[in-house]
């Protein structure tokens, strides 16, 4: 079984949130980025490497959160290459209830 980590962080707390996630990380776990966290995806990837978090099954974000970034920012981030999917609110709820995950952990720093 795997864990779905819901990560809601500012740039200032992203490293701490990643360190917290690393304490219980297992190969095959997934991450959903909430709120403005998706804007820091490149920093997140660097922090994931620093924390030796590997074998990520998927990284998701909410479509509404990405839309709030604006077209130019979204294009510069190349999110389509870094995210498995953009989810609607209904898809997010369904994901949290998916049998593939034995638990959902929210990290909001």
């Amino acid at each position: 079984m795997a864990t779905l980590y819901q990560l809601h962080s500012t740039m200032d707390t992203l490293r701490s949130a990643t360190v917290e996630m690393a304490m219980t990380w297992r190969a095959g776990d997934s991450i959903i980025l909430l709120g403005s966290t998706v804007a820091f995806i490149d920093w997140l990837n660097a922090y994931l490497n620093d924390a030796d978090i590997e074998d990520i099954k998927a990284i998701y974000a909410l479509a509404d959160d990405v839309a709030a970034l604006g077209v130019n920012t979204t294009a510069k981030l190349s999110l389509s290459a870094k995210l498995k999917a953009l989810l609607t609110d209904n898809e997010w709820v369904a994901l949290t209830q998916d049998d593939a995950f034995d638990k959902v952990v929210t990290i909001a720093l």
Side-chain angles (χ1 to χ4, degrees):
M1 297 303 279
T3 299
L4 174 63
Y5 289 91
Q6 300 185 123
L7 187 59
H8 193 268
S9 179
T10 65
M11 184 62 219
D12 292 340
T13 60
L14 186 60
R15 182 181 292 275
S16 298
T18 306
V19 168
E20 185 173 328
M21 187 169 48
M23 289 188 248
T24 55
W25 184 265
R26 297 174 296 182
D29 287 348
S30 295
I31 304 167
I32 182 165
L33 306 176
L34 303 176
S36 62
T37 310
V38 69
F40 315 121
I41 193 162
D42 292 326
W43 284 99
L44 173 66
N45 283 323
Y47 295 156
L48 292 171
N49 289 332
D50 288 350
D52 293 324
I53 292 177
E54 299 175 339
D55 299 319
I56 301 168
K57 181 176 180 183
I59 299 177
Y60 304 94
L62 297 179
D64 288 345
D65 294 340
V66 171
L69 296 176
V71 175
N72 290 339
T73 301
T74 301
K76 289 178 184 176
L77 290 172
S78 302
L79 294 175
S80 61
K82 299 170 187 169
L83 298 173
K84 178 170 181 157
L86 293 178
L87 306 176
T88 65
D89 286 348
N90 288 338
E91 290 168 330
W92 172 28
V93 170
L95 186 66
T96 65
Q97 297 171 357
D98 191 309
D99 289 340
F101 300 110
D102 59 333
K103 62 183 171 181
V104 177
V105 175
T106 301
I107 300 174
L109 299 178

